Amino acid sequence: MEHTQGKLWEVFIQSKNNLPYKHAGSIHATDKEMAIQNARDLYTRRGEGRGIWVVPSDCIVASNPEDEESLFDPGVDKIYRHPTFYHMPDGAENI
Amino acid sequence: MNMNEEELLRNFEEKIDVDQKIEPRDWMPEAYRKHLIRQISQHAHSEVIGMQPEGNWINRAPSLRAKMVLLAKIQDEAGHGLYLYSAAETLGISREEMLDQLHTLKAKYSNIFNYPTLTWADIGAVGWLVDGAAIVNQVSLQRTSYGPYSRGMIRICKEESFHQRQGYEIMAQMAQGTPEQKEMAQDALNRFWWPSMMMFGPHDSNSPNTGNALRWRIKRESNDTLRQRFIDKTVQQANVIGLTIPDPDLKWNEERGHYDFGEINWEEFYAVINGNGPCNKERIDHHKKAHEEGRWVREAALAYAEKQKQETLV
């Protein structure tokens, strides 16, 4: 089948200044400018955004669902990485 | 690590059972993928074809306010179609294939859009009843097991609630207007009531696609459950604006805690599905024509992108 719809781009929206960009969805476009315009029309019709990133979908490298355990489990059992792990002496303030 | 099909299926169903979402790169049974592609693309086509009956009234909207609102609503429908096409694409079907299936009548869209919008009151009835019925279905689908579909539904539901309110506002205004206006509102309700009931599909006892869809939580509630919810909500709204739902068997059933209602004309339902509704041909012809007339735009855009690529290479 002929490809007439432009390539796929992932859209990230910053809802307010100083907030991180969040994935909103995807759009089709043939070039960068069209990608920004389509993303604006599709994902910010109600003031949802102050900033847009568009990234060609084939440029995104994603982790594999099968690798979930080996990638993320090592981070689960290290509770000493959280401040609540430590015993503070009674009476200590501002710590 | 090579799991066999059985283990993969067990893992998949365990995830579904604890309401974890399935994501595009997760393993899924072919039947699940196929069902989703059929359902999501049909849903996307419905949003897009649904622009036509409303587009019919943009130039004839009775006020500038009504016109602005209608334009915004139709633009939303286009947006909803695009969210859904994107969700379907994550399952491995291309946008071109979906359009081709629509044009060759291999894919369906909601029957309701094969009915004409004859008067301005029909725009009210479409918003109130058709969007109302769609919302009942879509609220339930927010909890569907497929992640991209669920996220699309959440976004769509947020945007749809204005659609139903704008339709109900039109109906309320006309019902309180001149006798002719009230009659027009009642006539729109008469024509759109039963087709709206049919939007939920055949009875559960006669619904070929329900089994796996419920087990795998693609659908969360059955056709009859959703239809009943829509009726129970809508009767009171009709009463408030003094319109009569065209069903002599409609009656509150104290014991069930629901309204009883009359039998749906399934012959009409299947006739329309099979291409014999009042507007089936017109809707598809119009979509094809718009697609063809847009060809030069797509070609120009692709040529421009190609040229830019070459300029960067130099």
Side-chain angles (χ1 to χ4, degrees), chain B residues 131-296:
Chain B
D131 287 301
I135 289 170
V136 168
N137 190 30
Q138 287 164 347
V139 164
S140 177
L141 283 172
Q142 289 181 114
R143 295 189 300 125
T144 183
S145 58
Y146 187 55
Y149 192 24
S150 163
R151 293 191 283 274
M153 281 297 117
I154 290 169
R155 188 174 268 279
I156 287 175
C157 283
K158 261 193 218 155
E159 299 183 353
E160 282 273 350
S161 51
F162 112 65
H163 297 187
Q164 197 195 8
R165 292 173 66 118
Q166 71 91 32
Y168 189 55
E169 186 188 80
I170 292 173
M171 290 303 260
Q173 279 173 345
M174 295 195 72
Q176 282 151 25
T178 64
E180 289 83 2
Q181 285 169 335
K182 181 166 185 185
E183 202 185 306
M184 212 183 259
Q186 181 63 52
D187 172 60
L189 171 55
N190 292 349
R191 282 180 292 107
F192 275 93
W193 175 253
W194 290 103
S196 300
M197 301 268 283
M198 294 176 200
M199 283 176 69
F200 297 95
H203 285 309
D204 297 346
S205 53
N206 199 15
S207 176
N209 298 314
T210 298
N212 269 344
L214 283 174
R215 179 159 67 97
W216 286 335
R217 301 193 180 173
I218 295 174
K219 289 175 74 164
R220 301 303 304 250
E221 291 168 292
S222 75
N223 294 354
D224 284 330
T225 307
L226 295 166
R227 182 166 22 238
Q228 183 74 58
R229 186 171 304 147
F230 169 69
I231 294 165
D232 291 348
K233 278 167 69 145
T234 309
V235 173
Q236 192 265 349
Q237 294 166 4
N239 291 341
V240 167
I241 57 176
L243 295 181
T244 310
I245 288 177
D247 179 357
D249 297 320
L250 190 74
K251 204 170 76 228
W252 179 250
N253 183 325
E254 195 65 57
E255 206 175 300
R256 290 202 310 128
H258 293 293
Y259 281 94
D260 289 336
F261 53 96
E263 195 44 65
I264 292 165
N265 180 351
W266 295 111
E267 261 175 54
E268 176 182 328
F269 174 79
Y270 288 108
V272 180
I273 274 202
N274 292 322
N276 299 316
C279 303
N280 296 55
K281 189 170 178 314
E282 182 185 331
R283 299 295 185 232
I284 291 297
D285 285 352
H286 184 83
H287 195 280
K288 278 190 198 162
K289 182 166 165 267
H291 190 66
E292 273 313 305
E293 286 174 355
R295 177 182 292 278
W296 70 271

Side-chain angles (χ1 to χ4, degrees), chain A residues 25-57:
Chain A
S26 43
I27 46 113
H28 284 256
T30 50
D31 61 70
K32 295 176 190 175
E33 203 181 328
M34 190 195 285
I36 291 277
Q37 283 168 353
N38 287 356
R40 192 274 315 264
D41 287 348
L42 192 54
Y43 293 104
T44 63
R45 288 196 301 281
R46 290 173 173 77
E48 293 94 332
R50 301 310 303 166
I52 299 175
W53 290 347
V54 286
V55 184
S57 303

Side-chain angles (χ1 to χ4, degrees), chain A residues 1-10 13 23-34 38 40-46 48 60-69, chain B residues 1 3 15 25-27 72 75-80 82-83 86-87 89-90 94-100 151 155 158-160 162-163 291 295 298-299 301-302 304-305 308:
Chain A
M1 188 155 296
E2 60 174 332
H3 290 279
T4 58
Q5 301 289 309
K7 61 179 177 179
L8 198 62
W9 304 68
E10 298 305 317
I13 303 280
H23 185 240
S26 43
I27 46 113
H28 284 256
T30 50
D31 61 70
K32 295 176 190 175
E33 203 181 328
M34 190 195 285
N38 287 356
R40 192 274 315 264
D41 287 348
L42 192 54
Y43 293 104
T44 63
R45 288 196 301 281
R46 290 173 173 77
E48 293 94 332
I60 289 189
V61 183
S63 64
N64 242 318
E66 294 100 81
D67 298 335
E68 193 183 321
E69 275 174 39
Chain B
M1 192 176 61
M3 284 195 273
K15 262 197 213 168
R25 293 161 65 93
D26 292 343
W27 185 89
Q75 196 189 9
D76 273 354
E77 309 297 3
H80 298 170
L82 294 180
Y83 302 153
S86 293
E89 281 169 80
T90 63
S94 72
R95 186 79 56 98
E96 289 89 348
E97 280 173 276
M98 285 187 274
L99 288 173
D100 185 64
R151 293 191 283 274
R155 188 174 268 279
K158 261 193 218 155
E159 299 183 353
E160 282 273 350
F162 112 65
H163 297 187
H291 190 66
R295 177 182 292 278
R298 293 190 294 277
E299 284 172 359
L302 286 168
Y304 178 70
Q308 277 187 318

Side-chain angles (χ1 to χ4, degrees), chain B residues 64-81:
Chain B
L64 186 58
R65 177 185 187 269
K67 187 173 183 167
M68 275 182 344
V69 167
L70 188 58
L71 275 169
K73 179 170 188 284
I74 295 171
Q75 196 189 9
D76 273 354
E77 309 297 3
H80 298 170

Side-chain angles (χ1 to χ4, degrees), chain B residues 15-69:
Chain B
K15 262 197 213 168
I16 300 241
D17 290 343
V18 296
D19 259 340
Q20 268 190 37
K21 298 295 179 211
I22 305 300
E23 293 296 335
R25 293 161 65 93
D26 292 343
W27 185 89
M28 61 187 83
E30 262 325 287
Y32 179 80
R33 184 185 300 275
K34 266 177 84 175
H35 188 108
L36 278 169
I37 288 179
R38 191 185 55 77
Q39 182 171 328
I40 301 174
S41 67
Q42 179 174 323
H43 200 158
H45 296 323
S46 301
E47 299 281 356
V48 170
I49 296 292
M51 294 160 75
Q52 291 185 38
E54 299 194 304
N56 185 34
W57 282 89
I58 293 174
N59 288 340
R60 286 175 281 164
S63 69
L64 186 58
R65 177 185 187 269
K67 187 173 183 167
M68 275 182 344
V69 167

